Amino acid sequence: MRAPVYVTLFLWVLNDAAAHQFTEEEMASTRQRIRSMFYHAYNSYLDNAFPYDELRPLTCDGQDTWGSFSLTLIDALDTLLVLGNQTEFQRVASLLQDTIDFDTDVNASVFETNIRGTKKQSVWWGGLLSAHLLSGRAGMELEPGWPCSGPLLRMAEDAARKLLPAFQTATGMPYGTVNLLKGVSPTETSVTCTAGVGTFILEFATLSRLTGDATFENVARRALRALWKTKSDIGLVGNHIDVQSQKWVAQDAGIGAGVDSYFEYLVKGAIMLQDEELLHMFLEYDRAIQNYTRFDDWYLWVQMHKGTVSMPVFQSLEAFWPGLQSLLGNLDSAVRTFQNYYSVWRQFGGLPEFYSIPQGSTVDKREGYPLRPELIESAMYLFRATGDHTYLQLGLDALESIERIARTPCGYATIKDVRDHQLDNRMESFFLAETVKYLYLLFDPDHFLHGGRASGDSSWEAGGEGGQCVLGAGGFVFNTEAHPLDPAALYCCSQHSRDHQELRDLLFSLSQTSGDIALRAGEKRKTPPPLSCPVQPFRARLSLLGQVFTDRS
């Protein structure tokens, strides 16, 4: 049973928001304002901060925060294409191919490098994978067989291999940090956050299925299964775990910081990979989350073994949850929770990092808003699910708040305190990768990432050997840093891999059969050479005694 709520929470009613219906002209005008926001930030970074990782918008200079990988440029790459700028996408993609080197003596967050492509080095290759999959639409020159090959894919694979030593633990759950040149330090702590264990399956499975190397997906699944076994008797997981001993170090259970993207990847992994195991895991967790952490459509933090409330706070990172619920069809609950979160936004003009639900105020030393995307992300999903223009109103509120409060002559600054709108001298790269992207997609329901198409443009593209795969037709899945991944590409490349293996097996079997007839006594069988014939859909092949014919023969 749920514990009693400490305060009466007022139901927020969307008066003017519910009444206003946006016209196509208003939508187009808002998209143009969002483009202007992006280019003000992007050009400020290029002019004042590149090649540093991030822009410092108050002093108009740059700083390295995660190893000097030009992080903002990588994170912004696919946003350029979302906005339709193929020319700049091509320039930046070529620049990255020529300049990025992962053989660097730098300690990288395994979790962050994975999701971004280097959001601190591990995020690196999530962005690279996305850029690789969007290269065809961006008009770049493609290798034969794309998307199963390509320079950006090789870069992503190189980056991912640098992370693999972190998974060499007794449990298969990875260390939190790895040196890109030297591997895991002997003094590295074995304690990491839950999300740092469970946020790999999207990128690692994508990489495995594009390249045909199952290593990446296998280590991600092993980590997920090991983490699943550590849940408490009431079905919850904590916040930080020892990856060697499997003992929970921080036992607060919730949906926010340190845990959030673990749940996100179970749902999105289930969708992208059509994986029942991942869906089962999430649904079991969700049952416990609803039973023990949900209070009047807020989600609190509780003790993972007892279910007693430990922190009655809302964290801004939790604002992704309504969008995640919408992907599973739980719209009633998603809408009510979104209304709670939006009420906090309207109170401050942004979401503080921590908000005390009983007191209705910010939490000491957690008053900032670094221009995070999560509430806008949920608005995008809910608008797609419901068509309710309430969510467009949130988008317009967010656009105007950021412009009014955070804009500087050199980009957009983190809000240090939402109560008085003091600014901090930092523009994190996720502002361009996520916040602006989700905001733009909210106001562009016909965008190709939603499965729509602009007038005169094809809504899909051909790929794979012989161009026999249909790619980019919709169904994109966003990783936790808003980098879109195309499930069709995974199917295309893994299908070619299966066909190629079937053909190898068949030819080997036939060569053994026909060879037995001709073998003389004492003659040794020769090892058949590796096949090098073109890979084509297996249904298009005929095979007779080891000789291959195609339907074009």
Side-chain angles (χ1 to χ4, degrees), residues 46-58:
L46 291 180
D47 294 342
N48 300 286
F50 178 79
Y52 293 103
D53 283 334
E54 293 181 351
L55 170 69
R56 298 203 303 171
L58 301 185

Side-chain angles (χ1 to χ4, degrees), residues 398-419:
L399 173 62
E400 293 179 344
S401 291
I402 293 170
E403 284 285 2
R404 184 174 64 254
I405 299 170
R407 185 183 176 103
T408 75
C410 292
Y412 294 86
T414 289
I415 300 171
K416 187 175 183 179
D417 192 325
V418 295
R419 296 170 300 179

Side-chain angles (χ1 to χ4, degrees), residues 142-163:
L142 302 176
E143 291 184 0
W146 175 88
C148 312
S149 64
L152 290 174
L153 178 61
R154 288 189 289 274
M155 287 180 66
E157 182 178 6
D158 183 28
R161 291 196 184 280
K162 300 292 186 182
L163 307 184

Side-chain angles (χ1 to χ4, degrees), residues 12-21 342 388-391 393:
W12 174 59
V13 182
L14 303 172
N15 294 324
D16 56 335
H20 182 69
Q21 296 293 302
Y342 189 11
D388 188 341
H389 284 218
T390 292
Y391 305 105
Q393 185 62 48

